[in-house]
Amino acid sequence: MYNPSKPYKKQIFDLISKTWSTPFIEVKRGIYPVFKEKVLGWKVDHTDGVGTKGDYHWKKKTFKNAVLDALAMNLNDLALVRATPYKLQNHIFLPEDNDKYILNIIGTLSKECQKRKIAMTGGETSIHNNSPSIDISMTVSGFIKKLKPNKCKPGDILIGLKSNGLHSNGFTKIRELFGNKYKKDFTKPTRIYIDEILGICEKFTVNGMMHITGGAFTKLKDIAENVDLKIYKKGKILPHNIFYEIYKRGVSDKEMYTIFNCGVGFILSVPVNEKEGILKNLIGAFEIGEVIRGSGDIVIESAFSNKIVRF
Amino acid sequence: MYNPSKPYKKQIFDLISKTWSTPFIEVKRGIYPVFKEKVLGWKVDHTDGVGTKGDYHWKKKTFKNAVLDALAMNLNDLALVRATPYKLQNHIFLPEDNDKYILNIIGTLSKECQKRKIAMTGGETSIHNNSPSIDISMTVSGFIKKLKPNKCKPGDILIGLKSNGLHSNGFTKIRELFGNKYKKDFTKPTRIYIDEILGICEKFTVNGMMHITGGAFTKLKDIAENVDLKIYKKGKILPHNIFYEIYKRGVSDKEMYTIFNCGVGFILSVPVNEKEGILKNLIGAFEIGEVIRGSGDIVIESAFSNKIVRF
């Protein structure tokens, strides 16, 4: 827990306390900040972090992007249960006890939290001076206005939201393929979808949703009960160049769609009659496939060849 | 978030769901477990982890002790605000994707949580295959029956609770002093004090409390407002052998008390008339000093020499 008694930790504490003006929680400062919650009903906690992408963030000192990655990994998953994030605890795993780095990280996080009315209720920095990597992980709590199932329905249209590139998964593979080589793609931050997704869910019917991250398109199986999901080549989202580069290094079509988002970071399964309205309200969103009666198969026309990938 | 769709992850999910029989929270299983809280009023979240002690736990595969360390770091701090822990999210940073290791870790955590009616609401495992260390961190939420200040009062007696050895801090120093040498002391788990401390706080008046961890005895300054704390040599807690060994390697008295618990893992500041009752109700607890009017000084008669250490 951050302790304001140490010099730069006071600055950290000030950055954290800036996030306490939120309608969802009342925070009182003591030896630790304690709080009363003003949200009732169903809640969810979610923990995730940057993972091995942290190797590149550490080498290039791209701390702001590391924070966005860690936030995205949590917020985009919270979107799947339609949860509004309202408080957060962070854990920063850092190879060097450097005030500037830590203040940069906490400062970015504080700003992103203020934007969304998320209260930072605390956190911890852990210095591992023999580690080659940073990891930023966090636990984000969300409240759910209305619990709804997350299941694709036969007849649904699949809408894909463009990714910002690799996002935060597949980096063990990236290191395997590229060795010590660095590309700017390796530190680009993950797109945060939750803000627009929660807006869409308020106005339109959405039956199923998936954040395409670790496990990539195989994760769609979790929302495909008694249906098959078909993703077409004619869908208007082309993979970024980096994905073609990876493919050319000998990764199979199936592996591509198991590890990487291949250009699509988030998928919505929506009734046909909602399609137009939803597409108009989203940026970088396109029809990419459909849902038919079936037995839980995911069928993808590969963007990289004429092959069909099946999960 | 653990996903039950993968084979060994189902076992993980089963271990986690065993912790859901608690009076404090109602958990419902979906794509993620969502929950309703049954505790009202003031709450606190706390995040902490094993830190660089994880290097030794990884080398020796002492995962059970690593879990106890991570739990202790959180629970002992929650005790300072008299919070009853009721839910927890974990983040496991592991150099190798090994089912056995992960199940061992989650199994131990599940058992410890069941003992204390703490619901595991989720977690994440992050594989960093170029890291030399494990880290287990967690966010533990607690509810507070009655908010009370944590301040030593003039005239109080200081009661020390024996530590179990090094506990989970000072390991950067340990690596510096011992290099590649390993000693069993390096993987002994931290003593968990919260269960007995909460019991004591229900029955007796306790004015101030401190968990002697990172920052060691300097942390006492946080609870020493307008008082001085004096810790006597005649106190009945002797440092473990490992602390004398460290001291002999050239660490100053002041550094010893800044980095290490030197045998005392938790300190209570209590009114004189409560002393006997409290000592009778605790194991391994002894009078170690007193509180007098002053200006926030911590004065320690070193156990290692005739020197006086002042903070």
Side-chain angles (χ1 to χ4, degrees):
Chain A
M1 173 65 70
Y2 297 114
N3 184 338
S5 67
K6 294 178 196 161
Y8 82 89
K9 296 212 170 171
K10 189 183 168 311
Q11 284 173 269
I12 290 181
F13 213 88
D14 289 345
L15 286 167
I16 289 178
S17 60
K18 274 191 186 160
T19 66
W20 294 349
S21 310
T22 138
F24 306 134
I25 190 170
E26 175 194 345
V27 182
K28 188 173 168 158
R29 180 174 171 160
I31 185 165
Y32 302 137
V34 298
F35 55 83
K36 271 186 187 161
E37 301 187 70
K38 295 180 183 174
V39 285
L40 298 169
W42 292 103
K43 292 175 186 167
V44 63
D45 286 344
H46 192 280
T47 301
D48 207 345
V50 175
T52 48
K53 189 175 179 179
D55 293 14
Y56 296 105
H57 284 312
W58 176 245
K59 267 181 211 135
K60 295 293 162 182
K61 307 290 179 277
T62 42
F63 299 124
K64 197 185 155 192
N65 289 355
V67 170
L68 294 175
D69 277 328
L71 261 176
M73 295 309 283
N74 284 287
L75 297 183
N76 293 344
D77 275 0
L78 283 184
L80 303 184
V81 284
R82 299 160 204 251
T84 306
Y86 70 100
K87 67 180 173 84
L88 168 160
Q89 291 271 121
N90 61 282
H91 187 264
I92 303 167
F93 180 106
L94 202 67
E96 188 186 320
D97 193 0
N98 182 311
D99 303 15
K100 252 202 228 158
Y101 297 165
I102 297 172
L103 285 171
N104 186 349
I105 290 167
I106 301 281
T108 305
L109 189 53
S110 170
K111 220 191 284 175
E112 291 295 320
C113 283
Q114 287 174 61
K115 244 196 254 175
R116 296 182 176 88
K117 304 194 197 322
I118 300 173
M120 295 171 71
T121 50
E124 174 78 8
T125 301
S126 171
I127 309 300
H128 288 244
N129 57 12
N130 59 349
S131 165
S133 183
I134 190 178
D135 198 358
I136 300 176
S137 66
M138 50 186 77
T139 298
V140 187
S141 305
F143 66 92
I144 302 166
K145 285 181 196 153
K146 209 182 158 210
L147 267 191
K148 285 191 83 175
N150 186 20
K151 294 281 168 208
C152 305
K153 287 190 181 165
D156 275 1
I157 298 297
L158 296 177
I159 291 177
L161 280 87
K162 274 190 179 174
S163 72
N164 191 33
L166 291 168
H167 284 182
S168 304
N169 59 288
F171 278 84
T172 298
K173 192 77 193 173
I174 292 288
R175 285 211 323 277
E176 191 188 310
L177 292 173
F178 291 87
N180 286 324
K181 200 178 165 189
Y182 167 75
K183 298 177 77 69
K184 269 204 173 159
D185 294 278
F186 299 168
T187 51
K188 270 173 82 179
T190 305
R191 181 171 163 196
I192 298 180
Y193 298 103
I194 193 173
D195 310 302
E196 44 195 332
I197 294 297
L198 291 181
I200 288 294
C201 289
E202 292 259 318
K203 279 191 253 166
F204 301 96
T205 301
V206 175
N207 293 323
M209 293 187 265
M210 192 43 71
H211 178 207
I212 306 300
T213 172
F217 291 77
T218 67
K219 289 186 79 184
L220 291 168
K221 288 186 90 69
D222 291 347
I223 56 170
E225 203 179 273
N226 302 321
V227 293
D228 290 346
L229 271 54
K230 302 207 158 196
I231 294 176
Y232 301 130
K233 205 186 183 87
K234 67 175 163 53
K236 283 194 193 110
I237 304 183
L238 286 176
H240 304 70
N241 287 336
I242 183 69
F243 295 114
Y244 289 100
E245 267 190 68
I246 292 166
Y247 183 73
K248 275 182 207 147
R249 285 174 188 246
V251 178
S252 74
D253 294 80
K254 189 159 186 170
E255 225 184 331
M256 286 303 297
Y257 285 94
T258 305
I259 301 180
F260 298 106
N261 68 60
C262 302
V264 182
F266 204 94
I267 292 176
L268 302 174
S269 180
V270 308
V272 176
N273 61 328
E274 297 282 48
K275 183 183 84 170
E276 289 306 325
I278 290 175
L279 286 174
K280 263 186 214 150
N281 277 271
L282 287 172
I283 292 168
F286 299 94
E287 184 174 341
I288 59 164
E290 60 175 356
V291 180
I292 56 171
R293 267 180 215 291
S295 50
D297 291 343
I298 314 299
V299 185
I300 303 168
E301 295 177 359
S302 174
F304 306 102
S305 72
N306 289 324
K307 292 195 179 128
I308 303 284
V309 171
R310 269 173 205 278
F311 297 116
Chain B
M1 174 64 70
Y2 297 112
N3 185 336
S5 67
K6 294 178 196 161
Y8 83 88
K9 296 213 170 171
K10 193 186 164 309
Q11 284 172 270
I12 289 180
F13 213 88
D14 290 344
L15 286 167
I16 289 178
S17 59
K18 274 192 186 160
T19 66
W20 294 349
S21 310
T22 138
F24 307 134
I25 191 170
E26 176 193 344
V27 183
K28 189 173 166 158
R29 180 174 171 158
I31 185 167
Y32 303 136
V34 299
F35 56 84
K36 272 186 187 161
E37 302 186 69
K38 296 181 183 172
V39 285
L40 299 169
W42 292 103
K43 291 175 186 166
V44 63
D45 286 344
H46 193 279
T47 301
D48 207 343
V50 176
T52 48
K53 188 175 179 179
D55 293 16
Y56 296 105
H57 284 312
W58 175 245
K59 266 180 211 136
K60 295 293 162 181
K61 307 291 179 275
T62 41
F63 299 123
K64 199 187 154 193
N65 289 355
V67 169
L68 293 175
D69 277 329
L71 261 176
M73 295 310 283
N74 285 287
L75 298 183
N76 294 344
D77 274 1
L78 283 183
L80 303 184
V81 285
R82 301 160 203 249
T84 306
Y86 69 101
K87 69 180 172 81
L88 168 159
Q89 292 271 123
N90 62 280
H91 187 265
I92 302 166
F93 180 105
L94 202 67
E96 189 187 322
D97 194 359
N98 182 311
D99 304 15
K100 253 202 229 157
Y101 297 166
I102 297 172
L103 286 171
N104 186 348
I105 290 167
I106 302 281
T108 305
L109 190 53
S110 170
K111 219 190 285 176
E112 291 294 321
C113 283
Q114 287 174 62
K115 243 196 256 177
R116 296 181 176 89
K117 304 193 198 324
I118 301 173
M120 294 172 71
T121 51
E124 174 78 8
T125 301
S126 172
I127 308 300
H128 288 245
N129 56 12
N130 60 350
S131 165
S133 183
I134 191 180
D135 198 358
I136 301 176
S137 65
M138 50 187 77
T139 298
V140 187
S141 305
F143 66 92
I144 301 168
K145 285 181 197 153
K146 208 182 161 209
L147 267 190
K148 285 191 84 175
N150 187 20
K151 294 280 169 208
C152 304
K153 287 190 182 164
D156 275 2
I157 296 296
L158 296 176
I159 291 177
L161 280 88
K162 272 191 178 174
S163 72
N164 190 32
L166 291 168
H167 285 184
S168 304
N169 58 288
F171 277 86
T172 298
K173 192 77 192 173
I174 292 288
R175 285 211 322 279
E176 194 188 308
L177 293 174
F178 291 87
N180 286 324
K181 199 179 167 190
Y182 167 75
K183 298 177 77 70
K184 269 203 173 159
D185 295 279
F186 299 168
T187 51
K188 270 174 83 180
T190 305
R191 181 171 162 195
I192 298 179
Y193 298 102
I194 193 173
D195 310 303
E196 45 194 333
I197 294 297
L198 292 181
I200 288 294
C201 289
E202 293 259 318
K203 279 191 253 168
F204 300 95
T205 301
V206 175
N207 292 324
M209 293 187 266
M210 191 43 72
H211 177 207
I212 306 301
T213 172
F217 291 78
T218 67
K219 289 185 79 185
L220 291 169
K221 288 187 89 70
D222 292 348
I223 56 170
E225 204 178 272
N226 302 322
V227 292
D228 290 347
L229 270 54
K230 302 208 159 197
I231 294 176
Y232 301 130
K233 205 187 185 85
K234 67 175 163 54
K236 283 195 193 109
I237 304 183
L238 285 175
H240 304 71
N241 287 337
I242 184 69
F243 295 113
Y244 289 101
E245 267 191 68
I246 292 167
Y247 183 73
K248 277 183 207 145
R249 284 176 188 245
V251 177
S252 73
D253 294 80
K254 189 159 187 170
E255 225 185 330
M256 286 303 297
Y257 284 93
T258 304
I259 302 180
F260 299 106
N261 68 60
C262 303
V264 182
F266 204 94
I267 292 176
L268 301 176
S269 180
V270 308
V272 176
N273 60 328
E274 297 283 48
K275 185 183 83 172
E276 289 305 323
I278 292 175
L279 286 174
K280 262 186 216 150
N281 276 271
L282 287 172
I283 293 168
F286 299 93
E287 184 175 341
I288 59 164
E290 60 174 355
V291 180
I292 56 171
R293 269 182 215 291
S295 50
D297 291 343
I298 314 299
V299 184
I300 304 169
E301 295 177 358
S302 173
F304 306 102
S305 71
N306 288 325
K307 290 194 180 128
I308 303 284
V309 171
R310 270 173 204 277
F311 299 116

